[in-house]
Amino acid sequence: MTSQTSPSRPTRVQSVDRTIDVLEALAEVGGIARSKEIAQAVGLPVPTVHRLLATLNVRGYVLQLPDRRYALGARLVRLGTVAAQQSGAQVQPALDRLVTRLEETVNLAFLTQDTMTYVAQASSHRSMRMFTEVGRRVALHASGVGKAVLTTLPESQVRDVLTTAGTQDLDAVLAEVGASRERGYAIDDEEQEVGVRCLAVAVPGGPAPAGLSVSGPSSRLGPLVYEQVAAQLHATAKELAQGWALDTGF
């Protein structure tokens, strides 16, 4: 009998973790801040943050302004552009076609550690429509895309991810994930924003676990259209998965 070993956790390098934390904190405050403000945001000593910023400055990933504040550097633009092309931009035609059919805003999000990050969006043409900033991160347990991705994971892994994320009322979230798995789609029922409802499905085969969602006013996106909307989401999710498998774009 062949023995099986559980997969080991990915190796994490503390200095890399801290550098990424600094960049993300700088982005969160609008892209410009003093080293002391960044240090407070990430919970690190000011000298440590100053050394990280100095290195990033030399490499062009941050820029030190004349008033000694730091700003995000131009070299990040290239990284962001390439990442967008790989993860989100190539799927835009498929998302646009889905918007035409549903007449509501649709989003694609990837699992990044213990959150979901929106990588692409196609907006509805209606006067009352939903907007989600590409790059925004949302909690797994309180977003349609997050719950949709959780339905694809073993319960033990779901527990680990949610515990790491500090999720409260774990049993309630697990029950909701189970219900989402059974019906074939997840629901964000005004959890992110009052008056806004979201339906989401998982998208297999991507560069990371992915969720595809449609968002709209609760008055339009109600129980009577759930099955119809979910069917359209699944059709586009299949299209995206096939495109990723063939690596031909859309």
Side-chain angles (χ1 to χ4, degrees), residues 167-205:
T167 305
Q168 303 296 318
D169 202 354
L170 186 59
D171 290 337
V173 177
L174 289 171
E176 174 62 20
V177 170
S180 300
R181 186 182 294 114
E182 183 174 347
R183 64 176 170 250
Y185 57 89
I187 303 173
D188 165 5
D189 194 5
E190 303 187 19
E191 294 168 63
Q192 291 292 318
E193 186 175 347
V194 175
V196 177
R197 189 171 284 136
C198 169
L199 264 64
V201 301
V203 186

Side-chain angles (χ1 to χ4, degrees), residues 18-19 46 61 78 80 82 93 96 98 110 124 153 158 160 170 178 189 191 194 205 216 224 231 235-236 246 249:
R18 288 178 168 180
T19 301
V46 174
Y61 291 103
R78 179 177 178 274
V82 174
D96 291 340
L98 182 57
F110 285 163
S124 168
L153 306 178
V158 173
D160 287 344
L170 186 59
D189 194 5
E191 294 168 63
V194 175
L224 292 178
T236 299
L246 296 174

Side-chain angles (χ1 to χ4, degrees), residues 26-229:
L26 188 52
E28 288 289 336
V29 297
I32 300 177
R34 299 187 183 280
S35 57
K36 181 178 180 180
E37 296 167 338
I38 299 171
Q40 291 174 340
V42 298
L44 291 173
V46 174
T48 299
V49 170
H50 185 75
R51 287 195 298 271
L52 294 173
L53 288 169
T55 301
L56 290 168
N57 183 38
V58 171
R59 296 294 302 272
Y61 291 103
V62 301
L63 174 68
Q64 189 170 31
L65 304 177
D67 64 0
R68 310 298 291 177
R69 292 184 300 167
Y70 287 90
L72 293 174
R75 292 200 68 179
L76 291 171
V77 175
R78 179 177 178 274
L79 297 182
T81 300
V82 174
Q85 291 172 344
Q86 290 180 332
S87 60
Q90 67 172 347
V91 307
Q92 198 64 48
L95 300 189
D96 291 340
R97 290 191 290 271
L98 182 57
V99 167
T100 298
R101 296 195 295 270
L102 295 179
E103 297 185 333
E104 300 289 0
T105 297
V106 298
N107 293 282
L108 179 69
F110 285 163
L111 175 65
T112 50
Q113 293 185 324
D114 55 3
T115 60
M116 297 297 295
T117 301
Y118 290 107
V119 298
Q121 178 184 91
S123 297
S124 168
H125 299 298
R126 296 191 180 195
S127 57
M128 183 183 294
R129 58 189 184 271
M130 305 301 111
F131 292 99
T132 297
E133 182 182 359
V134 172
R136 178 189 174 199
R137 294 186 296 177
V138 291
L140 284 165
H141 70 281
S143 63
V145 287
K147 286 183 277 191
V149 165
L150 290 175
T151 65
T152 68
L153 306 178
E155 183 171 322
S156 59
Q157 188 175 351
V158 173
R159 286 183 176 274
D160 287 344
V161 171
L162 292 176
T163 299
T164 300
T167 305
Q168 303 296 318
D169 202 354
L170 186 59
D171 290 337
V173 177
L174 289 171
E176 174 62 20
V177 170
S180 300
R181 186 182 294 114
E182 183 174 347
R183 64 176 170 250
Y185 57 89
I187 303 173
D188 165 5
D189 194 5
E190 303 187 19
E191 294 168 63
Q192 291 292 318
E193 186 175 347
V194 175
V196 177
R197 189 171 284 136
C198 169
L199 264 64
V201 301
V203 186
L212 176 68
S213 69
V214 57
S215 301
S218 301
S219 58
R220 291 202 303 253
L221 196 56
L224 292 178
V225 301
Y226 281 177
E227 294 299 327
Q228 176 186 350
V229 169

